[in-house]
Structure formats: structure tokens, C-alpha cells
Amino acid sequence: MAGRQAVKAYLDLVSQACRAVLIFLKHNKIPHTVENIAIRKGQHKTPEFTKLNPMQKLPVLEDNGFVLTESDAILKYLCAVLCTTGPPYVPDHWYPKLPEKRARVDEYTAWNHANTHTSSIFLHEIGFDMWLVDMTFQAVTLFFFQNCFLCQLKSFKILSRLFQSLCGGRDILKDRPKLLSWRSRVQSVLSDSFDEAHSAVYQIRDKFTAKLSPCSKQATL
Amino acid sequence: MAGRQAVKAYLDLVSQACRAVLIFLKHNKIPHTVENIAIRKGQHKTPEFTKLNPMQKLPVLEDNGFVLTESDAILKYLCAVLCTTGPPYVPDHWYPKLPEKRARVDEYTAWNHANTHTSSIFLHEIGFDMWLVDMTFQAVTLFFFQNCFLCQLKSFKILSRLFQSLCGGRDILKDRPKLLSWRSRVQSVLSDSFDEAHSAVYQIRDKFTAKLSPCSKQATL
């Protein structure tokens, strides 16, 4: 591991994209430091951060002077660079080199980007007719159960995205046993890194549910 | 070239994602056949097509029995598979193998997906305050002029997306000389394949502008 500088990740764990990056770094034991950027305080819009990422978005990764934005690109870059310059080496199953298998990950990450924005799924789940949530479940079933890769980039991208609804005090998987079982399996593989990355989400959930009346709590949880 | 089966592309050239796939196939002389699926006739929702792609979306690629959806995944898959099993070989500049250079393409395609949906940019350009269009131009400037790769997957993805506004009879680049110059350079490299893929867009534009009054025409074009 000597000789490889720690990467620096600029994150706010309220963002599912940031959580995905942190889980990946921790789970794969990639040497890293974290710079917390609080979106709620507008720290992603300061002149200093704007210089780093003119699009004023999180996450951002710095690797020995190379600055990269967009969580998908960051995760794929880490897989690519650590397959040649490790240790630690990121196992191939995360982002397989075989074109057909890799294409399945790219297919899902592209679909995910275009169809399940965090805010949209969260808002739709809370306010609308569950159509987007159902569409997501259809995709999860299609993309995951037909191609049973448990530990690929797409696994925790979608899981982390679905978890966003916990901020609203709801667990949208609770009546879906097949998906619950899949979540348990992914969580058990990722173990501590998953819970650590989701601590901010759990805190928001707990604050939110503490404010609810006993009646609403029963209906929500 | 013997031994390599032609790939089959299911396309509707009204879709920018489909145009990107066709340009790529033609420009790189990849043996292919095209199956036209007319979205306006609902042909992407037939039981036959749904069996091929349960998400009922275009484009779809079939390569010797391997079925793949999502244009980003399709383009990256073709780069990957033809770098090992060509000819024809797709030149490295389209999707460079060097992690830092590849990450710049992944960064843009991820940003593009999350921020410039075709319908959104089209609707915003026509109906709203140009903010999304301006944001796109900001991104184009950031992602392209800082990293001057003329022929990468991202070049014609964004160009094709910007061209979508032509359906409404407008050329949103017309007052932007720097971007016009960039467009000319990309078009001249892609030459016939670009115009061929955009023929449907040009037809819609011509129909649309033919219906306008002389006054509106002057304001629009």
C-alpha cells in the first residue's frame, strides 16, 4: 500500500451519491480522507468549492491532483485505477472487465440516472401514486434478479437510492419480501460501511418519526 | 471482418439516443442492420418488443444473441468488444482506456443523463427561461473546452441532444460562435453519418417551419 496517496472525497452523507462513494471506499479499504461539505449550509456554492467543481455538485474526488465529479464516474475510475495500481485491488465483480458483464452495469447505471433521481423517487413515494417507485422496483427486479450479481456498483447505488425514502420515515421495501431479502444480503456483505454511510439518513428518520403522533407513527413505520 | 456477425440495432431516429448509436455504427463502419421501431405508432410497446426490452425503451442492440439497452451502455459496449474482437477496431479516442481520460467521458455521460433529458432541454428552450439551456452550455464549455477531445462518445451525445431543439424550428446555437465552431468541427469529422442520422429531425424542422407565418419564421430561424 506504500506509495499510494490517500484519495480525498468531498461528501455530504445526506446525498445518496456521496454515500455510495463512501461505502465503496470503506468496504474496499481504499486509503482516503473525507472533507465534509454541508449542502444545507450552502458549502457547495462557496467560491473555494466552485473552483474545485464549477457545477457545484457533490461528490468530488481528488486523486493525486486529478479532480473528478459525478459518483458514477468516480466509482468506475476507482475500479479502473486500482485494478492496475493497487493495492488495494478492487475485485473484478464490482465492475467486471468482460464486455457483456460490464455492459449490464453500465446499462443499469444509465437507466438509474435517467429514471430514478433521488428527489423524484422520494417525492413520488411521499406525494404521488407510487408509479415511479413501482417502475423502480420493476427495474430492480429486471436488472438484478435476472443477473444475480450481488456486489456490483449498481447494487448499492439502487439500494442507497431506495434508502433515501427513509428520510421521510418510511421504509418503502417493507411489504416487498423479495427485495427485503436482497437488501439484507447486500447489507450483510457491506456490513459496517453501509450503516456508517447511512448514519445521517437514520438520524433524519429518527428526528422525523419522533415528531409524529403515535397514530401517524403506526401508519408510517 | 469475416466471422463477425452484423449487430442489429432497434432505432427510431426521432430519439437522440438512437441517433447517437446510428452515427457511431456508421462512422466506425461496424456491420449492422437497423430495425425501425416507430415510437409515434407505439411500436415500442408491442408484446414482441416488450419481450426484447421490458422497459419498452429505445435503442436496443442485439449482438449475436446478447441484448443490451441504454445508449450509453451500448456505445461503451461496442467500444469494449471491438477493441478486442475487431475488425473493425473502434479507435481508442472514442472511449480511452487510460483511467483519467476514460473518467472524463464517464463524468460527462453521467452528468448529461442526470441534467439534460431531451424533453427537458427541448421544453425549457421553447417554454421557459433558458436556464437549462444555459446550464447545458456551461457544462459543454466546462467539459469540452477544458478537455479538448473532439471525437469522444460525449461529443456527439451532447451535440445530438442540442440538435433536438431543431424539431421546434430553432437553432439554439445560432448566437454562440464558439459552440457553432465546435459543432462544425464535429459535424465535419462525422460527415455523412451525422446528417443521415439527423434526417428525421431535419424533416420535422422543415414541416414545422413550413407552417409558420413569414413573421414567425423570421423570429424563429
Side-chain angles (χ1 to χ4, degrees):
Chain A
M1 205 170 298
R4 169 141 197 96
Q5 269 192 317
V7 298
K8 189 173 182 179
Y10 296 78
L11 308 174
D12 183 337
L13 296 185
V14 166
S15 144
Q16 66 82 22
C18 292
R19 292 199 296 274
V21 170
L22 185 63
I23 293 170
F24 188 79
L25 290 170
K26 283 188 176 288
H27 183 76
N28 289 296
K29 299 186 174 32
I30 299 167
H32 66 278
T33 58
V34 172
E35 180 88 15
N36 290 303
I37 304 291
I39 294 172
R40 70 192 180 285
K41 295 180 185 168
Q43 290 175 350
H44 60 306
K45 296 197 171 181
T46 61
E48 195 183 0
F49 187 79
T50 304
K51 205 171 158 189
L52 194 72
N53 180 10
M55 303 312 284
Q56 302 179 322
K57 284 180 73 184
L58 290 168
V60 173
L61 186 85
E62 254 190 295
D63 181 24
N64 199 21
F66 178 66
V67 176
L68 187 63
T69 70
E70 295 293 332
S71 64
D72 269 8
I74 289 170
L75 295 169
K76 290 170 183 176
Y77 166 77
L78 287 170
C79 289
V81 83
L82 288 171
C83 81
T84 53
T85 68
Y89 291 99
V90 173
D92 187 71
H93 58 72
W94 281 107
Y95 193 42
K97 282 182 205 69
L98 198 72
E100 287 78 4
K101 287 193 173 183
R102 173 161 293 198
R104 285 276 169 257
V105 181
D106 286 337
E107 180 184 51
Y108 181 74
T109 51
W111 185 91
N112 190 47
H113 250 304
N115 295 281
T116 65
H117 287 264
T118 309
S119 55
S120 306
I121 193 166
F122 179 49
L123 290 174
H124 279 280
E125 196 276 331
I126 297 297
F128 297 98
D129 207 9
M130 297 291 284
W131 73 268
L132 188 62
V133 179
D134 283 339
M135 196 171 78
T136 304
F137 289 137
Q138 189 190 336
V140 170
T141 308
L142 178 70
F143 290 124
F144 288 95
F145 295 116
Q146 284 186 5
N147 315 286
C148 293
F149 310 126
L150 187 61
C151 267
Q152 284 192 336
L153 296 184
K154 59 183 181 179
S155 291
F156 67 77
K157 289 288 284 182
I158 186 63
L159 191 56
S160 197
R161 192 152 282 196
L162 291 175
F163 255 61
Q164 197 78 354
S165 71
L166 279 182
C167 293
R170 293 173 64 90
D171 183 352
I172 57 178
L173 297 187
K174 75 183 172 70
D175 296 325
R176 297 172 165 91
K178 202 169 173 185
L179 286 167
L180 271 176
S181 146
W182 163 73
R183 179 170 80 182
S184 299
R185 282 184 293 137
V186 177
Q187 275 185 275
S188 73
V189 172
L190 299 176
S191 62
D192 294 345
S193 59
F194 191 90
D195 282 333
E196 201 175 327
H198 282 81
S199 58
V201 175
Y202 296 150
Q203 276 176 22
I204 295 173
R205 175 198 60 190
D206 295 342
K207 263 191 198 172
F208 183 87
T209 51
K211 286 182 189 167
L212 292 176
S213 67
C215 212
S216 313
K217 268 185 199 172
Q218 205 168 12
T220 311
L221 291 175
Chain B
M1 205 171 298
R4 171 146 195 93
Q5 269 192 317
V7 298
K8 188 172 182 179
Y10 296 78
L11 308 173
D12 183 336
L13 296 185
V14 167
S15 145
Q16 66 84 23
C18 292
R19 292 199 296 274
V21 170
L22 185 63
I23 293 170
F24 189 80
L25 291 169
K26 283 189 175 287
H27 183 74
N28 289 296
K29 299 186 175 31
I30 300 168
H32 66 278
T33 58
V34 172
E35 180 87 17
N36 290 304
I37 304 292
I39 294 172
R40 71 192 181 284
K41 294 180 185 169
Q43 290 175 350
H44 60 309
K45 297 198 172 181
T46 61
E48 196 183 2
F49 187 79
T50 304
K51 204 171 159 191
L52 193 71
N53 180 11
M55 304 311 286
Q56 302 179 324
K57 284 179 73 182
L58 291 167
V60 173
L61 186 86
E62 255 190 296
D63 181 25
N64 200 20
F66 178 65
V67 176
L68 187 63
T69 70
E70 295 294 331
S71 63
D72 268 9
I74 289 170
L75 295 170
K76 290 170 184 175
Y77 166 78
L78 287 170
C79 289
V81 84
L82 288 170
C83 80
T84 52
T85 67
Y89 291 100
V90 173
D92 187 71
H93 58 72
W94 281 106
Y95 193 42
K97 281 181 206 68
L98 196 73
E100 288 78 5
K101 288 192 173 182
R102 174 161 291 198
R104 285 277 169 257
V105 181
D106 287 336
E107 180 184 48
Y108 181 74
T109 50
W111 185 90
N112 190 47
H113 249 304
N115 294 280
T116 63
H117 286 264
T118 310
S119 55
S120 306
I121 194 167
F122 178 49
L123 290 174
H124 280 280
E125 197 273 332
I126 298 296
F128 296 98
D129 207 10
M130 298 291 284
W131 72 267
L132 188 64
V133 179
D134 282 339
M135 196 170 79
T136 303
F137 288 137
Q138 189 190 338
V140 170
T141 308
L142 178 70
F143 290 124
F144 287 96
F145 295 115
Q146 282 186 5
N147 316 288
C148 294
F149 309 127
L150 187 62
C151 265
Q152 284 193 334
L153 296 185
K154 58 183 182 180
S155 292
F156 67 77
K157 288 288 285 182
I158 186 62
L159 191 56
S160 196
R161 193 151 283 198
L162 292 175
F163 254 61
Q164 198 77 356
S165 71
L166 278 181
C167 294
R170 293 173 64 90
D171 183 352
I172 57 178
L173 297 188
K174 74 183 172 69
D175 298 324
R176 296 173 165 89
K178 203 170 172 183
L179 286 166
L180 271 176
S181 147
W182 163 74
R183 179 171 81 183
S184 298
R185 281 183 296 137
V186 177
Q187 275 185 274
S188 73
V189 172
L190 299 175
S191 61
D192 293 347
S193 59
F194 191 91
D195 282 332
E196 200 176 327
H198 282 80
S199 58
V201 175
Y202 298 149
Q203 275 176 24
I204 294 173
R205 175 198 61 190
D206 294 344
K207 262 190 198 171
F208 184 87
T209 51
K211 286 180 188 167
L212 292 176
S213 67
C215 214
S216 312
K217 267 186 199 172
Q218 204 167 16
T220 310
L221 291 175

